[in-house]
Amino acid sequence: MQIRNIYIFLITFIGSFQFVFSQTENAKKESIYYKIVDVPIPEDVVLEVGGLALTDRDQLGVSTRRGEVWVIDNPYSKSPNYSLFAQGLHEALGLNYKDNSFFLSQRGELTKLTDRDGDGKADLYKTIYAWPLSGNYHDYSYGPKFTEDGDMLVTLNLSWIGHGASLAKWRGWLLKISPEGEMEPIATGLRSPSGFVLNASGDIFYSENQGDWVGSGRITHLEKGDFAGNPEGLVWSGEPNSPIDLKMEDIEEQSGLSLYEYAKKVPALKAPAIWLPHTILGISTSDMVFDETGGNFGPFKGQMFVGDQGHSKIMRVAMEKVNGVYQGAVFPFVEGFSSGILRMLWGSDSSMFVGMTSRGWASTGKKSFGLQRLVWTGKMPFEMKTIKAKDDGFLIEFTKPVNVYLAEDLANYEITSFNYLYHNTYGSPIVDQKKAKVVDAQLGEDGKSVYLKIDGMRIGFIHQIKSPMIKSNSGEELLHSTAYYTLNEVPGGALKSKPLEALSADKGVEQPKRKNEMPLTWVNGPNKKVVIGTEPGLKYSIKELRLQKRSKVEITFTNNDDMLHNLVVTQKGEESVNEVAKLALDLGLDGADVNYVPDSDLVLVHTGILQPEEAETIYFEVPNATGEYWIVCTFPGHANTMRIKLIVE
């Protein structure tokens, strides 16, 4: 997940009603099938969840960012009992349990905690393996996960110095550590690997979120010797036990290629199994769990669930292996959690524990921390259950029988492929976006699957698949009608989808309200110059700005954060800024092309999207009408908190 060094902040109700309302409408529909239940937390416990683990007695262990481990008796009840098991740890962002002991990663070590005298408190804090620290705030460590042979896997976050950097040994790596403390480096190229998981076959997957060298959130299958994309960890590839020979200088900073295409030049580079389009399916990909409930959590047995810290929601992934390569589709699942999701864990009753924190890591869930359970109500949602790649199309399986007339109507499907650039820049715009064409749709004999034959499929691209008009035989609409399939391979290895003629597209969208040049009529220059920066926690550097009506103003916006931001001045009234924020969210795949600024009369003036450490100056004349206007960042997910009240006097 995207990590920033900041302190507790409040997401105020003022200025966020429209966004929260739209979330609530989605959450209301989802709650018919999956209910979010609070796990009560005592008032004197600050449960900023870093890790979750169940004991042999079905107690829930929770490690926290404040260096504590709590044990919760009866965590499924309305009155659970909390006891402090350990404290004095250094930001424990992972937890596991085995052989009557807890295991966790602190900033600088893998630790074993044991209660030897049975009093409910750890009296043995044993260092299994330690790694050096640089002192940089971004040196987070995660895990462990146990392998089948009893070894432990941990991941180490890169430091942050305006970009990711491996300032201490093995930062940006996946490590395997034996119970005896022997360490083996497995893979590198990791930037902020807070989530990783093993499937039933023992294969390792890790999640990444947008940043330098990372165009968007993604999930990658890691094997020994893999390079996942961020070259900073390669500074340690010369170590004797490194499984990788690649060097930092081997990677071009600006190749102009997608990661998939660049991997053809660098065989060690591993293309993601799943891309999660940024701002559309979250902004800070976090934990992952596979459905191990045997069908007790709904119709998604064996599928993966993926949390997002920034958007306080969970996505669902239906993965398949084609020609030995993992790939698949990701779907929206459930939103509306109370804080930023960091950890997920199956309970013994087949509910999902969801551990959350948002101090410094802004989230749409307004609470600064939380612990909830996600419970299947037993009702069957009408969803796209799986999507499988064919050499000339996709096979979509639904959870219920589909209306045959709607299913075979080609007009009811929309397919768009797109990609992200692989470069050292923070994030990537959506690039090379093209429409594909459904030329045939055949309902399967089971009535629950549709085979789409498609012209214009492209290997190495993400495919957005939309089917909003599809209904079940009983008339139900799809709970979620859009999915995103990452196509790395097709069965047989040869793509038989007919290519479409490329259409010329002008991406240079004109935005007349992005006024970067001082008007010629301002012969004496601006009446006022304003400089606005950023503060940690998705905030501008000022909360309120007062300007005289009709004054000529020069605003310089400096993005000194480690995320992408813009600055948009909106019309008078809180309803205006809320509507602009909603319209920005609705831009979807087209948002990056217009700097996430909707074409609306409610927008007065705006900057473009600024990379970290970039600045931009805009000019505008303050309206004649006095009152309260707003300045807002419309990058999706930021508008809740990143606002300035503009008072025109």
Side-chain angles (χ1 to χ4, degrees), residues 61 64 93 153 241 291 370 373 446 521 529 570 579 594 609:
T64 76
L93 293 178
L153 300 172
N241 54 346
D291 188 345
R373 288 192 304 130
D446 61 358
T521 56
K529 294 183 178 182
T570 67
E579 180 64 17
V594 293
I609 287 290

Side-chain angles (χ1 to χ4, degrees), residues 30 46 75 133 144 372 402 431 556 624:
E30 294 161 348
V46 181
L133 288 173
Q372 295 180 310
V402 187
V431 297
T556 298
N624 185 42

Side-chain angles (χ1 to χ4, degrees), residues 67 80 234 264 512 561:
L234 293 173
K264 295 178 181 178
D561 196 9

Side-chain angles (χ1 to χ4, degrees), residues 489-511:
E489 297 278 342
V490 293
L495 182 64
K496 297 179 181 177
S497 172
K498 181 181 176 182
L500 293 177
E501 291 293 328
L503 299 176
S504 60
D506 180 15
K507 286 295 184 181
V509 179
E510 183 179 357
Q511 292 187 281

Side-chain angles (χ1 to χ4, degrees), residues 2-6 137 160 162 360 426 533-539 557-565 610-614 638 642:
Q2 177 59 42
I3 299 179
R4 297 164 292 276
N5 182 26
I6 51 182
Y137 80 94
W160 182 260
Y426 194 103
T534 61
E535 288 184 354
L538 294 184
K539 292 185 288 188
F557 174 46
T558 300
N559 180 15
N560 42 10
D561 196 9
D562 59 1
M563 300 184 70
L564 304 176
H565 296 300
L610 271 62
Q611 293 278 337
E613 308 305 325
E614 284 188 345
H638 295 188
M642 203 162 179

Side-chain angles (χ1 to χ4, degrees), residues 112-377:
K112 179 181 180 180
L113 302 174
T114 307
D115 173 16
R116 294 181 296 184
D117 59 11
D119 67 349
K121 297 184 183 298
D123 44 39
L124 175 64
Y125 291 60
K126 180 181 179 181
T127 300
I128 298 175
Y129 183 81
W131 45 81
L133 288 173
S134 70
N136 186 276
Y137 80 94
H138 220 244
D139 283 4
Y140 300 95
S141 306
Y142 312 101
K145 300 286 186 180
F146 283 99
T147 65
E148 189 175 353
D149 59 8
D151 290 333
M152 287 165 280
L153 300 172
V154 300
T155 55
L156 306 184
N157 211 90
L158 287 178
S159 309
W160 182 260
I161 53 173
H163 62 84
S166 189
L167 302 182
K169 199 168 184 180
W170 304 120
R171 287 276 144 202
W173 284 74
L174 166 71
L175 308 178
K176 183 168 73 171
I177 300 169
S178 73
E180 296 74 34
E182 297 178 359
M183 189 277 290
E184 178 186 1
I186 300 298
T188 190
L190 287 58
R191 175 185 174 273
S192 193
S194 72
F196 61 105
V197 66
L198 286 78
N199 68 5
S201 301
D203 293 327
I204 305 165
F205 299 86
Y206 102 99
S207 66
E208 190 66 90
N209 60 80
Q210 188 188 69
D212 45 329
W213 298 99
V214 186
S216 183
R218 64 194 190 202
I219 297 169
T220 303
H221 170 219
L222 289 180
E223 299 174 282
K224 187 171 182 178
D226 279 345
F227 168 57
N230 191 303
E232 295 292 334
L234 293 173
V235 68
W236 311 112
S237 64
E239 294 295 312
N241 54 346
S242 170
I244 301 172
D245 295 328
L246 202 62
K247 304 298 180 186
M248 288 181 66
E249 55 267 26
D250 295 333
I251 308 300
E252 299 174 61
E253 292 186 343
Q254 297 283 335
S255 69
L257 301 175
S258 68
L259 193 153
Y260 179 90
E261 288 298 322
Y262 198 78
K264 295 178 181 178
K265 301 173 62 173
V266 180
L269 179 59
K270 193 69 164 287
I274 300 289
W275 284 97
L276 293 90
H278 192 68
T279 74
I280 299 171
L281 291 180
I283 57 173
S284 297
T285 314
S286 57
D287 210 6
M288 301 173 289
V289 292
F290 282 96
D291 188 345
E292 305 166 350
T293 68
N296 292 325
F297 193 70
F300 309 117
K301 180 179 178 181
Q303 295 189 13
M304 176 191 282
F305 297 96
V306 186
D308 189 83
Q309 193 279 331
H311 277 183
S312 304
K313 64 185 180 183
I314 295 175
M315 277 67 65
R316 175 174 60 87
V317 172
M319 207 177 294
E320 61 176 336
K321 208 171 187 180
V322 180
N323 305 330
V325 176
Y326 281 108
Q327 60 185 40
V330 57
F331 311 82
F333 185 56
V334 172
E335 63 181 52
F337 290 90
S338 64
S339 186
I341 296 173
L342 186 61
R343 294 288 169 243
M344 304 184 299
L345 178 74
W346 294 113
S348 61
D349 65 346
S350 296
S351 68
M352 182 193 295
F353 284 104
V354 180
M356 295 164 283
T357 175
S358 70
R359 174 170 58 90
W361 307 335
S363 65
T364 58
K366 297 184 292 297
K367 293 186 177 180
S368 57
F369 58 86
L371 181 62
Q372 295 180 310
R373 288 192 304 130
L374 187 62
V375 181
W376 181 37
T377 65

